[in-house]
Amino acid sequence: MPKYSCYDNRELSWLKFNHRVLEEANDERVPLCEQLSFLSIFQSNLDEFYMVRVGSLFDLPPDTKENKTYMTSKEQLSAIFKESRILLHEKDMIYSKLCKDLKKHGVEIVDFHSISEAEANFLERYFKAEIEPLLSPQIVGKKQPFPFLQNKAIYAVVLLEKKGSEKLGIVPCTSTVIPELIPLPGNTHRFILSEELILHFMPDVFSHHTIKSKTLIRIIRSADIDTEEDKMGEEEDYRKAMEKLIRKRSRLQPVKMEFSRLMDPAVISRLCEYLNLDESQVFHSEAPLKLSFIFKVRDMLRHNKSLFFKRRVPQKPADIDMRSSVMKQIEEKDRLLSFPYESIKPFLKLLREASTNPEVVSIKMTLYRVATNSKVVEALIEAAENGKDVVVLVELRARFDEENNIEWSRRLEDAGCRIIYGLDKMKVHSKLCLITKKKEGEISYITQIGTGNYNEKTSEIYTDFSIMTANDEIGQEANRVFNALCLGQTVTETKHLLVAPNCLQNKLLDMMDMEIEKAKEGKPAYIGIKVNSLTDKKLIKKLIEASSFGVKTEMIIRGISCLVAGIPGETENITIRSIVGRFLEHHRVYIFGTGENEKVYISSADFMTRNTLKRVEIGIPVMDKGIRNRITDMFRLMMQDNVKARIQQPDGTYRHAIAYGKEINAQEQLYEDAYANSVKE
């Protein structure tokens, strides 16, 4: 057996994850419209990867080495570009196949090679009347310099010839007033993409030139803005400074260009020169450069339920009575919500109750990402208007949600809430809500800690846990966390909660050491971890050490894993699997020990150094035995998944789990259980 490394590169591991997403687009067991969605998700994932990760690699000196595989930033970029070409070629083939399947259901995306003369005449009239008046063509020259190209927008580029000289012509194709799909006449669902229509009529747009070649291009710009406060003016309002940085992001350096038609290499070289790109950053795509139109196609086929996943609705939790006070039920015993299988409504009702309950004196909450029309924020505003002391930490540096959070911070502030923006050089990623009550001089708390954001929309498509407890010691520790945040500090010690940056990684290492000691003594030793990503080298080294002493370790890691499992003598006692299915696996669970000695935590923190040491994250021990059993039962079910699970191999690749008997799709089974157990009113 060849010798493999225990470590994988972070960026290449992420590309493997996105390949698993692409596999869902090619899985015939997935309904057709859902396959299309996975194809679109693959592309948007890759766009964000280039904007964030590739952008940050370009900011590093080329000989900078990462700390696991010791690849330099230059070597990583080269490997990323090579792997991207393979993935994009596979995407093109899958798109072509899905288009053939769509045609069987009456929807067709056409080009000028597959339409009738009558349809061509209609499109010419449509272009002249509806599109050409809206276009802004430009010829690049001394008096018209190369234009600024918007991130992710599509442009038609043509090589023009006139009187023996050649120039580039550029026409923006992305517009809010031009529909993405242009319907052909008749009752059938036949469409042409607007950018293809524009490209076809470039000879009419540049009628005084000869067009030698033409293509569509789309660029991706870096989004790696520096949000550190020390780069901002000392007297500058933080919220205004963030608004400036967001505007700056739209103009950062391009990191990738895609084009749809093969052109003269000299033209590609010229575009690269204008955009300051190396030709290794340029990719040819046979599929459309933008796939957002897929969601319009899905809407056309809504009548055919067989093309979609079975409809699922988050259920009322079995142990929460929505006709009674949620606050009182939490005071009786801890309560668990499991999203998306159970509804977020009990938590929303808790907030509404707290906003009007005369015993409630304050509500403190961290907000990282919230829904566009957030009922959570509405409840906080109502509480402030009712005279409660409402303190909200709004993290303005939540990537790509900065503008949304800036607006919510204004609305909360206008309603009388106290707003804080987190800590210097450290994002607050924790999901923490603390309700403080005072009755007859006695202080009591209700604490909610979750693995996911306070977002009603994502609670229906992300898998997450939310624990609500009236435990006084938990409430006191949560209050200390908030007090520290209000002072711009972090807690340095805790008894129960795991709180990064000072009291999470070290406590995890201690619990792993305890399992190692058990294994040394010949006692049962176990570690179970469910996270989205694993990159923290200290934790990885400890997991390797635990494996070498025989600690059985089961890990469910949706995305990046810089640890490679199953290597004899090193990680042979570790199993790593990834579940990519209908819902985004998002909850984080840590399990240590077995039987009566078992410890279970849920947390907001992935096993990444940015989470364990560079952010404020929070985890809570699951103290209620019934809830602990529910969570571990769900973990075991996911470990048995043989439909949507892939198992990591010693060479770092992933293979689908093999169903030797009954097929187990954990997500579908958990929804079936939620329906069976739901309270029927």
Side-chain angles (χ1 to χ4, degrees), residues 384-399:
E385 290 173 344
N386 289 336
K388 311 297 182 189
D389 179 26
V390 179
V391 180
V392 187
L393 188 148
V394 183
E395 181 51 78
L396 299 189
R397 294 163 295 185
R399 198 186 299 271

Side-chain angles (χ1 to χ4, degrees), residues 15 46 50 78-92 257 259 278-284:
L15 288 171
L46 194 62
Y50 268 79
S78 177
I80 287 168
F81 299 149
K82 180 181 178 181
E83 187 61 28
S84 294
R85 289 185 203 288
I86 296 169
L87 292 175
L88 289 169
H89 178 64
E90 189 171 338
K91 181 202 78 171
D92 288 346
M257 184 178 81
F259 67 102
D278 186 85
E279 291 190 28
S280 63
Q281 297 166 255
V282 179
F283 302 87
H284 174 242

Side-chain angles (χ1 to χ4, degrees), residues 368-404:
Y368 195 78
R369 301 187 197 276
V370 295
T372 303
N373 299 305
S374 174
K375 291 182 173 61
V376 171
V377 174
E378 286 176 10
L380 294 174
I381 288 173
E382 182 182 358
E385 290 173 344
N386 289 336
K388 311 297 182 189
D389 179 26
V390 179
V391 180
V392 187
L393 188 148
V394 183
E395 181 51 78
L396 299 189
R397 294 163 295 185
R399 198 186 299 271
F400 304 123
D401 271 331
E402 299 99 339
E403 291 179 84
N404 194 33

